[in-house]
Amino acid sequence: LQPASVALNCIAGQGSLAPVARIVALLARPDNSLECVVSFGLSGSGCSLVCAAGQTLGELASAIVQKYNVEGGLVHASLPGRERCSPLEANTPLAALVSFDSHD
């Protein structure tokens, strides 16, 4: 990662002291945006965030940090079927991670 990218990256690395943000679902919406269903911290406080189709995993992590006023500015992000995301995945497009409903 470039130094500027590291400074903007809100995804905590392994061993970092940070709360867990479980991204429970990433769903495509009819307007081409994405609904990101998040469960935050040990309490499992939930929220739904709407992201533009072009946003990245790192931008979602940043939105979670802002939404929950996370001290230290880092979260451990997890996705369905994956315990932990790496800070190196910050530039991964959310659209590449979307679940499509096969019942449409």
Side-chain angles (χ1 to χ4, degrees), residues 3-98:
S5 296
V6 171
L8 297 174
N9 195 339
C10 293
I11 300 174
Q14 187 171 354
S16 297
L17 186 59
V20 174
R22 288 189 334 208
I23 300 156
V24 179
L26 289 168
L27 306 166
R29 295 167 33 116
D31 64 358
N32 292 325
S33 64
L34 303 171
E35 181 177 356
C36 307
V37 181
V38 178
S39 175
F40 181 78
L42 294 176
S43 67
S45 173
C47 75
S48 186
L49 300 169
V50 176
C51 299
Q55 286 187 285
T56 65
L57 184 57
E59 289 170 319
L60 176 57
S62 179
I64 294 167
V65 164
Q66 290 177 0
K67 167 86 176 160
Y68 289 99
N69 265 340
V70 177
E71 188 176 332
L74 296 173
V75 292
H76 287 287
S78 71
L79 292 164
R82 294 182 51 198
E83 183 179 330
R84 177 182 313 121
C85 296
S86 163
L88 298 176
E89 296 175 277
N91 291 326
T92 301
L94 290 175
L97 305 170
V98 171

